[in-house]
Amino acid sequence: MQAGFKHPKVYADLVALYGLYWPIHQGLPKGFRYTSGEQILRELTLCIRAVTRANFSDKQCPQSRRAAAQGLLEVRTSLEVIRGLCTLAWQLKWLSHGGLALLCDRLDQLGRQTTGWQQWFEDGAG
């Protein structure tokens, strides 16, 4: 790794969300776990990848900043897909009200962080 390299808070929060979701995932019915539950894990992994790529981007290069902003838009999209799948699990009574509330709170926090970072990249990409 580069000297002085540091992941942003959104990275740590995504990893924490993965860790929070994992035990929930393990308790889901097999059919849902292997379809929608696995999709949640894939979306989270894609989010971690996109945030890492944005963090490694050349912040001085307009093309790199635009690409990072686009990647962060994809993160925001994935967060909404995750929210939808969690809501479905709740509607099917496989996720508690408290579990859904906790996951949605974390998704909201991540959405705000990602939106702010995306705007930062766009403001300088001119």
Side-chain angles (χ1 to χ4, degrees):
M1 295 202 105
Q2 300 171 353
F5 179 81
K6 182 179 175 221
H7 284 293
K9 182 179 183 319
V10 68
Y11 174 89
D13 289 351
L14 281 165
V15 171
L17 179 60
Y18 197 113
L20 178 67
Y21 172 73
W22 183 255
I24 294 169
H25 176 79
Q26 297 301 103
L28 293 170
K30 190 176 188 178
F32 189 87
R33 186 174 66 236
Y34 288 144
T35 56
S36 301
E38 290 291 326
Q39 184 62 36
I40 291 170
L41 295 174
R42 278 191 294 280
E43 295 289 342
L44 284 168
T45 301
L46 290 172
C47 288
I48 292 168
R49 180 181 180 80
V51 163
T52 301
R53 179 171 282 160
N55 198 35
F56 278 130
S57 69
D58 180 354
K59 308 319 186 269
Q60 305 304 314
C61 173
Q63 294 88 352
S64 185
R65 288 177 70 109
R66 278 192 292 277
Q70 181 62 40
L72 293 170
L73 176 61
E74 292 300 320
V75 169
R76 292 174 55 206
T77 301
S78 287
L79 293 174
E80 290 306 311
V81 169
I82 293 165
R83 182 188 312 276
L85 293 172
C86 289
T87 301
L88 176 60
W90 172 77
Q91 289 172 341
L92 294 170
K93 311 242 184 281
W94 297 327
L95 180 60
S96 70
H97 294 296
L100 180 63
L102 182 60
L103 290 169
C104 285
D105 180 59
R106 299 289 171 88
L107 290 166
D108 289 342
Q109 290 174 18
L110 284 161
R112 285 189 297 274
Q113 290 177 57
T114 306
T115 298
W117 203 22
Q118 179 188 356
Q119 289 171 345
W120 181 86
F121 276 108
E122 290 171 345
D123 289 346

